[in-house]
């Protein structure tokens, strides 16, 4: 017997599958967010004109791989035509069937070409866009994701502090900040580089201000 909380959870999951509306899903670990995202991805595929129109972005390669694998497993289960007994898994099965129907109608052949599923990390997406627009991005074919950005943070800090002499940009604010460090240029540069490394902790409040 479903409790009121169970009914509310089920209703929320159903609303999140409405591809006409955008949603923010917040829930603790182990609550089924990845499963819900898989279902929404399948629902989007069922209404898309091409699988490349549907883009899923994650932070880690592990998460991207898990998402891709879940979609592929769902499509293969639907292709085998063996619906599960559990209600939640049946929703995934039905959505996968709809996605396969769309695939057959438009000749995607998703079951044979799962690489057409655009499930990337943020870094991989940026890399793909830069490679597809080499002139605009000013990036060559050898573009790679930098796993240790320490040197880049140092360079960014150095370039920012160079504006103290260039007379452009926030030179006044930098000069005041430098005074607080007793004109210790190297210490300020190290602080700015460290702040860039942890920008997820302070950037959002600044942008919202």
């Amino acid at each position: 017997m479903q409790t009121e909380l169970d009914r509310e959870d089920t209703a929320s999951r159903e609303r999140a599958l409405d591809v006409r509306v955008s949603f923010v899903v917040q829930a603790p670990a182990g609550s089924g967010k990845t499963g819900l995202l898989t279902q929404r991805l399948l629902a989007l595929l069922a209404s898309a004109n091409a699988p490349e129109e549907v883009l899923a972005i994650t932070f880690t390669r592990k998460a991207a791989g898990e998402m891709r694998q879940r979609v592929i497993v769902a499509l293969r289960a639907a292709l085998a035509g063996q619906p599960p007994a559990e209600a939640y898994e049946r929703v995934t099965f039905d959505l996968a069937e709809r996605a396969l129907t769309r695939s057959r109608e438009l000749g995607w052949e998703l079951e044979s070409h799962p690489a057409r599923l655009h499930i990337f990390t943020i870094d991989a997406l940026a890399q793909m866009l830069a490679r597809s627009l080499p002139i605009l991005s000013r990036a060559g074919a050898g573009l790679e994701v930098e796993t240790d950005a320490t040197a880049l943070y140092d360079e960014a800090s150095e370039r920012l502090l160079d504006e103290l002499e260039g007379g452009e940009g926030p030179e006044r604010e930098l000069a005041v900040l430098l005074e607080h460090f007793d004109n210790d240029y190297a210490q300020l540069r190290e602080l700015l580089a460290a702040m860039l490394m942890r920008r997820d902790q302070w950037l959002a409040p600044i942008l919202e201000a």
Side-chain angles (χ1 to χ4, degrees), residues 12 15-25 37 40 44:
S12 295
R15 287 197 301 271
L17 296 179
D18 185 350
V19 299
R20 300 168 299 177
V21 185
S22 297
F23 288 92
V24 175
V25 177
L37 288 172
R40 180 156 176 104
L44 287 165

Side-chain angles (χ1 to χ4, degrees), residues 61 123 127 143-153:
R61 294 178 182 177
D123 290 340
Q127 190 176 30
L143 184 67
E144 297 293 339
V145 175
E146 180 59 69
T147 56
D148 183 2
T150 303
L152 298 177
Y153 297 143

